Every structure is written in structure tokens, then in C-alpha cells.
Amino acid sequence: MNSFDGDTTEPGAAPEQDQFLLPVADGERITVMLAAFEGWNDAGEAASDSLRYLNKAWGGKKVASIDADEYYDFQFTRPTVRRNAAGERKIKWPSTRIYKAAAPDSNVDVIFVQGIEPSYKWRAYTAELLVHAEALKVDYVVLVGALLADVPHSRPIPVSTSSDDPQLRERLNLEPSQYEGPVGIVGVLSEVALLAGIPTLSLWAAVPHYVAQAPSPKAQLALLNRVEELLQVPLDTHELAEEAAAWERGVDELATEDPEIAAYVRQLEEAKDTADLPEASGESIAREFERYLKRRGRDKP
């Protein structure tokens, strides 16, 4: 099993220089909505944790929320009791919170949508979210999810990027999603946003199914690296990278204690490495070296 590799780009992705969200004129600002939902769309809580990380790092301020009573079954998604700083007991209700932040040293404003997948009225719920998007002058919607998959924890976490918007696909050299089957609120919001005329794309991290419990810092880091590429905004993820490395070492130790799991992980590694062999081309190596130089330049004081 290999040690942690901070590069989490999925093999076959478009070159990094083609992955920024939108070329804009100097001084022109864009507003991007980043949305993630706890629950079915959030394996290892990687998607919701990645947005919480960004929201905290960029000092997001709450600008709106969606009324929980309309959309949640409280017997399924129960409120919780917590104590505040003064030691008082308070009930925290399930909700969807909307924050706004300015990405540092950039022309990008970010709207964070963080909540739990609703129980009822998904069409009304997504319509209400888009009313907020219109009021906040959102130019793009980026939906963030995580799924369980047969991938090894010891290799870069794959992050797929897809869009059903033809112009966005062409500019970012993306493919439409080929998935067919049940969808969560992320899939519904994607369709509704496109119908409303807002260019929309989706990011999905593949979380190893045999370590599905939260947290999943390596998948979280993979999603943040892809957001960094899309928005062209440098992120300080050193602390999270250390957590991801520690997580991988911990899974390595657990795997070595169980011969069956160790054999299964080796099988996944061999399948992954074989699938990646065609990517060992001059173009791929040059792309990885360029990414390394960019990140090294950001790390210098």
C-alpha cells in the first residue's frame, strides 16, 4: 500500500488549464453557489465537511435559511439538544442554511448551501433555493456529493466532474453524467437549476466503501482540490492533508490486521493501477508537474 498522495485528480480529467469555471474580464465578479447535503448524497460526510471547511476558512456569513417545518420529517431527521456557551440547553432543528463569503484574493463570491436532504416537497424545496439564488445573483451552481465505491483508500480519491449544460461541458471539456437510477436532492437541484437557466455542474468523490464511516478527510481533500481548480482560488489545506495522511495510515494498520481485507485492498489497487496505465503519457506527466510547481509556489512564504 502506498503512502498518502496529495494529488487527487481523477485520471482522464481535462488538463488543469481548462478546468477553471469561467474566464472573466479584470474586475468583473462572479457568484458561485456551492451546495452539499447531509444524508444519501454524502458518503463519509465528505461533501458536507468540505463545504463546512471552506465556509469557515473564508468567514462565511449567514444570509438566509429555509424553514424546517415545511420539508422535514422530525421522526426521521430528529432535532438535537445541545448546550450553548452559557451552559443552557437549546434544541437545534434540522435546517438548510445559506452563507455568503468572498474568496480571498479573487473575483469570486461564494454562496454556501448547507443542510440535510429534505423529507418532503423536493420540488418546492429546490424552487425555494433557486429564489435565493436569484436574489443573490448566482451565476453558477456547483453541487458537491460523495458516494461509496470500489476504490482503494491508498490511491488518489477519484472525483468525477459532470454537467448537463452543453456550453459548460464544451468549455470545461466535461462529459454528461451517464448515471441512471435513484437520485437524491443533489440530482433534483441540478435539473431544476438548469431548467432555470443557471449553468450547473456536479462534483462527486468516490469514498472507499470499506471505510465509509465519517470523517473521510482524504475524500474531503479531493473535493477541495477540485473546487480549487474550478474557481482558481488557492486553498490552504495543509492541516487537512495531514489529517488525510493520518487517516490513510490508520486504514493501512487496520487492513494489515485482517488478511481478507488486505487481500481485497491489494485487488482494488491492482485494478486501479492497471486502469491508469494508459495515462502515463508525456502530456499527463507534464500536467502533473505543472500542478506540482503551482502548489509549490503557493507554499513559499
Side-chain angles (χ1 to χ4, degrees):
M1 300 176 190
N2 290 356
S3 61
F4 172 71
D5 183 349
D7 179 7
T8 52
T9 302
E10 180 186 21
E16 180 173 304
Q17 61 267 28
D18 293 333
Q19 285 288 300
F20 54 86
L21 194 58
L22 177 67
V24 294
D26 291 342
E28 182 182 353
R29 299 194 68 81
I30 63 170
T31 300
V32 178
M33 175 178 279
L34 288 172
F37 300 89
E38 299 173 34
W40 196 71
N41 311 273
D42 195 20
E45 298 182 7
S48 56
D49 280 347
S50 65
L51 262 59
R52 275 191 287 267
Y53 186 97
L54 272 185
N55 192 22
K56 181 179 180 181
W58 291 346
K61 304 297 182 184
K62 186 177 177 181
V63 294
S65 62
I66 293 181
D67 183 15
D69 287 346
E70 289 291 319
Y71 302 111
Y72 293 100
D73 177 350
F74 296 133
Q75 289 186 325
F76 178 75
T77 308
R78 290 186 177 272
T80 56
V81 174
R82 298 191 180 174
R83 293 189 181 276
N84 61 20
E88 300 170 327
R89 287 163 53 90
K90 296 289 185 182
I91 293 180
K92 183 178 180 181
W93 295 90
S95 66
T96 300
R97 300 163 302 283
I98 301 173
Y99 301 85
K100 183 174 182 179
D105 303 318
S106 77
N107 59 351
V108 179
D109 293 321
V110 179
I111 306 300
F112 293 101
V113 176
Q114 298 173 247
I116 302 172
E117 183 177 66
S119 307
Y120 307 121
K121 302 180 181 179
W122 283 18
R123 281 177 282 196
Y125 176 86
T126 52
E128 187 169 344
L129 273 178
L130 290 183
V131 169
H132 288 292
E134 182 178 4
L136 293 165
K137 302 186 185 304
V138 167
D139 298 298
Y140 293 89
V141 172
V142 178
L143 301 165
V144 183
L147 52 86
L148 299 178
D150 291 324
V151 295
H153 72 280
S154 51
R155 297 293 185 267
I157 294 291
V159 176
S160 63
T161 309
S162 63
S163 177
D164 289 322
D165 181 275
Q167 294 181 340
L168 204 56
R169 283 207 312 268
E170 181 177 359
R171 187 167 69 245
L172 300 183
N173 192 21
L174 301 176
E175 295 294 330
S177 173
Q178 301 301 316
Y179 173 76
E180 293 183 273
V183 298
I185 195 64
V186 167
V188 175
L189 181 55
S190 174
E191 179 175 283
V192 174
L194 283 170
L195 289 173
I198 305 177
T200 302
L201 59 83
S202 299
L203 309 179
W204 286 90
V207 175
H209 70 88
Y210 55 91
V211 279
Q213 66 274 19
S216 187
K218 190 171 179 179
Q220 182 184 345
L221 181 62
L223 286 167
L224 288 173
N225 285 343
R226 186 55 58 89
V227 170
E228 180 181 35
E229 292 175 355
L230 284 169
L231 302 186
Q232 293 290 283
V233 176
L235 303 178
D236 181 3
T237 55
H238 286 87
E239 183 177 342
L240 184 58
E242 292 176 0
E243 292 178 15
W247 175 86
E248 183 170 327
R249 289 193 298 270
V251 179
D252 283 345
E253 293 173 4
L254 291 174
T256 56
E257 295 173 0
D258 188 322
E260 290 186 5
I261 293 180
Y264 178 63
V265 171
R266 284 194 296 272
Q267 179 184 344
L268 291 177
E269 289 173 337
E270 291 171 2
K272 176 68 172 172
D273 294 344
T274 301
D276 290 352
L277 281 175
E279 284 299 307
S281 62
E283 180 183 348
S284 175
I285 294 170
R287 185 167 69 242
E288 301 310 318
F289 185 63
E290 180 182 1
R291 181 179 293 108
Y292 163 77
L293 292 177
K294 286 183 178 181
R295 290 182 178 168
R296 185 181 178 188
R298 289 200 299 268
D299 292 343
K300 292 181 178 180

